[in-house]
Short mmCIF file of all heavy atoms in Angstrom, two decimals:
data_model
loop_
_atom_site.label_atom_id
_atom_site.label_comp_id
_atom_site.label_asym_id
_atom_site.label_seq_id
_atom_site.Cartn_x
_atom_site.Cartn_y
_atom_site.Cartn_z
N ASP O 601 -38.93 -6.03 -14.94
CA ASP O 601 -38.12 -7.05 -14.30
C ASP O 601 -38.26 -6.96 -12.78
O ASP O 601 -38.98 -6.11 -12.26
CB ASP O 601 -36.65 -6.87 -14.70
CG ASP O 601 -35.87 -8.17 -14.58
OD1 ASP O 601 -36.40 -9.14 -14.01
OD2 ASP O 601 -34.72 -8.20 -15.06
N TYR O 602 -37.56 -7.85 -12.06
CA TYR O 602 -37.53 -7.84 -10.60
C TYR O 602 -36.07 -7.78 -10.16
O TYR O 602 -35.18 -8.36 -10.79
CB TYR O 602 -38.17 -9.12 -10.04
CG TYR O 602 -39.64 -9.24 -10.35
CD1 TYR O 602 -40.06 -9.88 -11.52
CD2 TYR O 602 -40.60 -8.72 -9.49
CE1 TYR O 602 -41.41 -10.00 -11.82
CE2 TYR O 602 -41.95 -8.83 -9.79
CZ TYR O 602 -42.35 -9.47 -10.95
OH TYR O 602 -43.69 -9.58 -11.24
N ASN O 603 -35.83 -7.07 -9.06
CA ASN O 603 -34.47 -7.05 -8.52
C ASN O 603 -34.31 -8.18 -7.50
O ASN O 603 -35.22 -9.01 -7.32
CB ASN O 603 -34.14 -5.68 -7.91
CG ASN O 603 -35.05 -5.34 -6.73
OD1 ASN O 603 -35.72 -6.20 -6.16
ND2 ASN O 603 -35.06 -4.06 -6.37
N GLU O 604 -33.15 -8.20 -6.79
CA GLU O 604 -32.86 -9.31 -5.88
C GLU O 604 -33.83 -9.37 -4.71
O GLU O 604 -34.04 -10.43 -4.13
CB GLU O 604 -31.43 -9.15 -5.34
CG GLU O 604 -30.35 -9.34 -6.40
CD GLU O 604 -28.96 -9.18 -5.84
OE1 GLU O 604 -28.85 -8.82 -4.66
OE2 GLU O 604 -27.98 -9.42 -6.58
N ASP O 605 -34.44 -8.25 -4.36
CA ASP O 605 -35.40 -8.22 -3.26
C ASP O 605 -36.82 -8.52 -3.71
O ASP O 605 -37.76 -8.41 -2.91
CB ASP O 605 -35.36 -6.84 -2.58
CG ASP O 605 -34.00 -6.55 -1.97
OD1 ASP O 605 -33.38 -7.51 -1.47
OD2 ASP O 605 -33.56 -5.39 -2.01
N GLY O 606 -36.97 -8.88 -4.96
CA GLY O 606 -38.30 -9.21 -5.47
C GLY O 606 -39.14 -8.01 -5.82
O GLY O 606 -40.35 -8.13 -6.06
N GLU O 607 -38.52 -6.81 -5.86
CA GLU O 607 -39.29 -5.61 -6.18
C GLU O 607 -39.37 -5.44 -7.70
O GLU O 607 -38.42 -5.75 -8.43
CB GLU O 607 -38.61 -4.38 -5.57
CG GLU O 607 -38.52 -4.40 -4.06
CD GLU O 607 -37.67 -3.26 -3.54
OE1 GLU O 607 -36.54 -3.09 -4.05
OE2 GLU O 607 -38.12 -2.54 -2.64
N ASN O 608 -40.51 -4.93 -8.15
CA ASN O 608 -40.62 -4.59 -9.56
C ASN O 608 -39.68 -3.43 -9.89
O ASN O 608 -39.55 -2.49 -9.12
CB ASN O 608 -42.06 -4.17 -9.90
CG ASN O 608 -42.99 -5.37 -9.97
OD1 ASN O 608 -42.60 -6.42 -10.45
ND2 ASN O 608 -44.20 -5.20 -9.46
N VAL O 609 -39.02 -3.49 -11.04
CA VAL O 609 -38.12 -2.42 -11.46
C VAL O 609 -38.43 -2.02 -12.89
O VAL O 609 -38.92 -2.81 -13.69
CB VAL O 609 -36.64 -2.85 -11.34
CG1 VAL O 609 -36.26 -3.06 -9.89
CG2 VAL O 609 -36.37 -4.10 -12.16
N VAL O 610 -38.13 -0.78 -13.19
CA VAL O 610 -38.31 -0.24 -14.53
C VAL O 610 -37.10 0.64 -14.83
O VAL O 610 -36.58 1.32 -13.94
CB VAL O 610 -39.61 0.59 -14.63
CG1 VAL O 610 -39.58 1.79 -13.72
CG2 VAL O 610 -39.86 1.03 -16.07
N PRO O 611 -36.59 0.62 -16.06
CA PRO O 611 -35.46 1.48 -16.38
C PRO O 611 -35.79 2.95 -16.16
O PRO O 611 -36.87 3.41 -16.49
CB PRO O 611 -35.18 1.19 -17.85
CG PRO O 611 -35.77 -0.16 -18.08
CD PRO O 611 -36.97 -0.24 -17.19
N SER O 612 -34.85 3.70 -15.54
CA SER O 612 -35.05 5.14 -15.36
C SER O 612 -34.37 5.87 -16.51
O SER O 612 -33.86 5.26 -17.45
CB SER O 612 -34.44 5.59 -14.03
OG SER O 612 -33.02 5.59 -14.12
N LYS O 613 -34.35 7.19 -16.42
CA LYS O 613 -33.71 7.98 -17.46
C LYS O 613 -32.19 8.07 -17.26
O LYS O 613 -31.50 8.63 -18.09
CB LYS O 613 -34.32 9.38 -17.46
CG LYS O 613 -35.79 9.40 -17.87
CD LYS O 613 -36.32 10.82 -17.88
CE LYS O 613 -37.80 10.82 -18.30
NZ LYS O 613 -38.36 12.20 -18.32
N LYS O 614 -31.70 7.51 -16.15
CA LYS O 614 -30.26 7.53 -15.92
C LYS O 614 -29.55 6.62 -16.93
O LYS O 614 -30.07 5.59 -17.32
CB LYS O 614 -29.94 7.04 -14.50
CG LYS O 614 -30.50 7.91 -13.40
CD LYS O 614 -30.16 7.31 -12.05
CE LYS O 614 -30.77 8.12 -10.91
NZ LYS O 614 -30.48 7.50 -9.59
N LYS O 615 -28.36 7.02 -17.33
CA LYS O 615 -27.58 6.22 -18.26
C LYS O 615 -26.35 5.67 -17.56
O LYS O 615 -25.74 6.33 -16.73
CB LYS O 615 -27.16 7.07 -19.47
CG LYS O 615 -28.31 7.47 -20.37
CD LYS O 615 -27.79 8.23 -21.59
CE LYS O 615 -28.94 8.60 -22.53
NZ LYS O 615 -28.46 9.33 -23.73
N PHE O 616 -26.02 4.45 -17.90
CA PHE O 616 -24.83 3.81 -17.33
C PHE O 616 -24.09 3.09 -18.44
O PHE O 616 -24.66 2.31 -19.18
CB PHE O 616 -25.22 2.82 -16.23
CG PHE O 616 -24.06 1.97 -15.77
CD1 PHE O 616 -23.02 2.54 -15.04
CD2 PHE O 616 -23.99 0.62 -16.08
CE1 PHE O 616 -21.95 1.77 -14.63
CE2 PHE O 616 -22.93 -0.16 -15.67
CZ PHE O 616 -21.91 0.43 -14.94
N THR O 617 -22.80 3.38 -18.54
CA THR O 617 -21.95 2.73 -19.53
C THR O 617 -21.10 1.70 -18.82
O THR O 617 -20.21 2.06 -18.03
CB THR O 617 -21.04 3.74 -20.25
OG1 THR O 617 -21.85 4.76 -20.84
CG2 THR O 617 -20.22 3.04 -21.32
N PRO O 618 -21.34 0.43 -19.03
CA PRO O 618 -20.58 -0.60 -18.32
C PRO O 618 -19.14 -0.67 -18.81
O PRO O 618 -18.82 -0.24 -19.93
CB PRO O 618 -21.34 -1.89 -18.65
CG PRO O 618 -21.97 -1.61 -19.98
CD PRO O 618 -22.33 -0.15 -19.96
N ILE O 619 -18.26 -1.23 -17.98
CA ILE O 619 -16.88 -1.50 -18.39
C ILE O 619 -16.87 -2.84 -19.11
O ILE O 619 -17.28 -3.87 -18.55
CB ILE O 619 -15.94 -1.55 -17.17
CG1 ILE O 619 -15.87 -0.17 -16.51
CG2 ILE O 619 -14.55 -2.01 -17.57
CD1 ILE O 619 -15.03 -0.13 -15.25
N LEU O 620 -16.43 -2.85 -20.33
CA LEU O 620 -16.37 -4.07 -21.13
C LEU O 620 -14.92 -4.41 -21.41
O LEU O 620 -14.12 -3.55 -21.76
CB LEU O 620 -17.13 -3.88 -22.45
CG LEU O 620 -18.62 -3.53 -22.31
CD1 LEU O 620 -19.24 -3.31 -23.69
CD2 LEU O 620 -19.36 -4.61 -21.55
N ILE O 621 -14.58 -5.67 -21.24
CA ILE O 621 -13.22 -6.14 -21.44
C ILE O 621 -13.16 -6.99 -22.71
O ILE O 621 -14.05 -7.82 -22.96
CB ILE O 621 -12.74 -6.97 -20.23
CG1 ILE O 621 -12.84 -6.12 -18.96
CG2 ILE O 621 -11.31 -7.45 -20.44
CD1 ILE O 621 -12.04 -4.85 -18.99
N SER O 622 -12.13 -6.80 -23.50
CA SER O 622 -11.97 -7.55 -24.75
C SER O 622 -11.64 -9.01 -24.48
O SER O 622 -11.33 -9.39 -23.34
CB SER O 622 -10.86 -6.93 -25.60
OG SER O 622 -9.61 -7.12 -24.97
N GLU O 623 -11.69 -9.83 -25.50
CA GLU O 623 -11.39 -11.25 -25.34
C GLU O 623 -9.94 -11.49 -24.92
O GLU O 623 -9.64 -12.40 -24.16
CB GLU O 623 -11.67 -11.98 -26.66
CG GLU O 623 -13.15 -12.09 -27.01
CD GLU O 623 -13.38 -12.93 -28.24
OE1 GLU O 623 -12.39 -13.48 -28.77
OE2 GLU O 623 -14.54 -13.05 -28.67
N THR O 624 -9.03 -10.63 -25.40
CA THR O 624 -7.62 -10.83 -25.04
C THR O 624 -7.32 -10.33 -23.63
O THR O 624 -6.35 -10.77 -23.01
CB THR O 624 -6.69 -10.09 -26.02
OG1 THR O 624 -6.99 -8.69 -25.98
CG2 THR O 624 -6.90 -10.62 -27.44
N GLY O 625 -8.08 -9.40 -23.11
CA GLY O 625 -7.93 -8.92 -21.74
C GLY O 625 -6.66 -8.13 -21.46
O GLY O 625 -6.30 -7.91 -20.30
N LEU O 626 -5.99 -7.63 -22.50
CA LEU O 626 -4.72 -6.95 -22.29
C LEU O 626 -4.88 -5.61 -21.59
O LEU O 626 -3.91 -5.07 -21.04
CB LEU O 626 -4.00 -6.75 -23.63
CG LEU O 626 -3.64 -8.03 -24.40
CD1 LEU O 626 -2.78 -7.71 -25.60
CD2 LEU O 626 -2.94 -9.05 -23.51
N GLU O 627 -6.09 -5.06 -21.58
CA GLU O 627 -6.30 -3.79 -20.90
C GLU O 627 -6.30 -3.94 -19.37
O GLU O 627 -6.41 -2.95 -18.64
CB GLU O 627 -7.59 -3.12 -21.36
CG GLU O 627 -8.82 -3.98 -21.20
CD GLU O 627 -9.14 -4.79 -22.43
OE1 GLU O 627 -8.29 -5.59 -22.87
OE2 GLU O 627 -10.26 -4.64 -22.95
N LEU O 628 -6.18 -5.18 -18.88
CA LEU O 628 -6.10 -5.43 -17.44
C LEU O 628 -4.66 -5.46 -16.94
O LEU O 628 -4.41 -5.70 -15.76
CB LEU O 628 -6.78 -6.76 -17.10
CG LEU O 628 -8.25 -6.90 -17.52
CD1 LEU O 628 -8.79 -8.25 -17.08
CD2 LEU O 628 -9.08 -5.76 -16.96
N ILE O 629 -3.69 -5.20 -17.82
CA ILE O 629 -2.27 -5.25 -17.46
C ILE O 629 -1.75 -3.85 -17.17
O ILE O 629 -1.96 -2.92 -17.94
CB ILE O 629 -1.43 -5.89 -18.59
CG1 ILE O 629 -1.84 -7.36 -18.78
CG2 ILE O 629 0.06 -5.78 -18.29
CD1 ILE O 629 -1.14 -8.03 -19.94
N GLU O 630 -1.05 -3.70 -16.03
CA GLU O 630 -0.46 -2.42 -15.65
C GLU O 630 1.06 -2.42 -15.79
O GLU O 630 1.66 -1.39 -16.11
CB GLU O 630 -0.82 -2.12 -14.19
CG GLU O 630 -0.15 -0.88 -13.62
CD GLU O 630 -0.44 -0.68 -12.15
OE1 GLU O 630 -1.44 -0.01 -11.85
OE2 GLU O 630 0.33 -1.19 -11.30
N TYR O 631 1.68 -3.59 -15.59
CA TYR O 631 3.14 -3.62 -15.49
C TYR O 631 3.64 -4.98 -15.93
O TYR O 631 3.03 -6.02 -15.64
CB TYR O 631 3.54 -3.32 -14.04
CG TYR O 631 4.93 -3.70 -13.62
CD1 TYR O 631 5.99 -2.81 -13.75
CD2 TYR O 631 5.19 -4.96 -13.06
CE1 TYR O 631 7.27 -3.15 -13.33
CE2 TYR O 631 6.47 -5.31 -12.65
CZ TYR O 631 7.51 -4.40 -12.78
OH TYR O 631 8.77 -4.74 -12.37
N ILE O 632 4.79 -4.99 -16.65
CA ILE O 632 5.42 -6.24 -17.10
C ILE O 632 6.92 -6.12 -16.84
O ILE O 632 7.52 -5.07 -17.09
CB ILE O 632 5.18 -6.49 -18.60
CG1 ILE O 632 3.68 -6.47 -18.92
CG2 ILE O 632 5.77 -7.83 -19.02
CD1 ILE O 632 3.40 -6.48 -20.41
N SER O 633 7.52 -7.20 -16.37
CA SER O 633 8.96 -7.21 -16.10
C SER O 633 9.57 -8.52 -16.55
O SER O 633 8.93 -9.58 -16.47
CB SER O 633 9.22 -7.01 -14.60
OG SER O 633 10.59 -7.14 -14.29
N LEU O 634 10.81 -8.44 -17.04
CA LEU O 634 11.56 -9.63 -17.45
C LEU O 634 12.80 -9.76 -16.57
O LEU O 634 13.54 -8.79 -16.38
CB LEU O 634 11.98 -9.54 -18.92
CG LEU O 634 10.87 -9.58 -19.96
CD1 LEU O 634 11.45 -9.38 -21.35
CD2 LEU O 634 10.08 -10.89 -19.89
N ASP O 635 13.02 -10.96 -16.05
CA ASP O 635 14.22 -11.27 -15.27
C ASP O 635 15.13 -12.09 -16.15
O ASP O 635 14.81 -13.23 -16.51
CB ASP O 635 13.83 -12.05 -14.00
CG ASP O 635 15.02 -12.26 -13.06
OD1 ASP O 635 16.17 -12.07 -13.51
OD2 ASP O 635 14.79 -12.62 -11.90
N CYS O 636 16.27 -11.52 -16.52
CA CYS O 636 17.25 -12.22 -17.35
C CYS O 636 18.45 -12.67 -16.52
O CYS O 636 19.44 -13.16 -17.06
CB CYS O 636 17.73 -11.31 -18.49
SG CYS O 636 16.42 -10.61 -19.50
N THR O 637 18.36 -12.52 -15.21
CA THR O 637 19.48 -12.81 -14.32
C THR O 637 19.25 -14.07 -13.49
O THR O 637 20.12 -14.94 -13.40
CB THR O 637 19.72 -11.61 -13.38
OG1 THR O 637 19.95 -10.44 -14.16
CG2 THR O 637 20.92 -11.86 -12.47
N ASN O 638 18.08 -14.16 -12.86
CA ASN O 638 17.80 -15.27 -11.96
C ASN O 638 16.63 -16.11 -12.47
O ASN O 638 15.61 -15.57 -12.88
CB ASN O 638 17.46 -14.76 -10.55
CG ASN O 638 18.59 -13.95 -9.95
OD1 ASN O 638 19.76 -14.25 -10.16
ND2 ASN O 638 18.24 -12.91 -9.20
N GLN O 639 16.80 -17.42 -12.42
CA GLN O 639 15.72 -18.32 -12.82
C GLN O 639 14.79 -18.62 -11.65
O GLN O 639 13.63 -18.98 -11.83
CB GLN O 639 16.30 -19.62 -13.37
CG GLN O 639 15.35 -20.39 -14.27
CD GLN O 639 16.07 -21.42 -15.12
OE1 GLN O 639 17.15 -21.87 -14.77
NE2 GLN O 639 15.49 -21.78 -16.25
N ASP O 640 15.30 -18.44 -10.44
CA ASP O 640 14.52 -18.67 -9.23
C ASP O 640 14.93 -17.63 -8.19
O ASP O 640 15.92 -16.92 -8.35
CB ASP O 640 14.76 -20.08 -8.66
CG ASP O 640 14.27 -21.17 -9.58
OD1 ASP O 640 13.05 -21.32 -9.72
OD2 ASP O 640 15.12 -21.87 -10.18
N GLY O 641 14.15 -17.56 -7.11
CA GLY O 641 14.52 -16.73 -5.98
C GLY O 641 14.30 -15.25 -6.21
O GLY O 641 13.28 -14.83 -6.77
#
Side-chain angles (χ1 to χ4, degrees):
D601 204 349
Y602 295 90
N603 62 16
E604 293 180 354
D605 297 324
E607 298 172 310
N608 285 322
V609 293
V610 62
S612 73
K613 294 182 180 180
K614 297 178 182 177
K615 291 184 178 180
F616 170 70
T617 303
I619 295 177
L620 301 177
I621 303 301
S622 67
E623 290 185 3
T624 60
L626 299 188
E627 56 267 59
L628 303 182
I629 295 176
E630 174 185 270
Y631 162 90
I632 306 170
S633 174
L634 293 176
D635 187 345
C636 306
T637 303
N638 300 324
Q639 201 162 25
D640 295 290

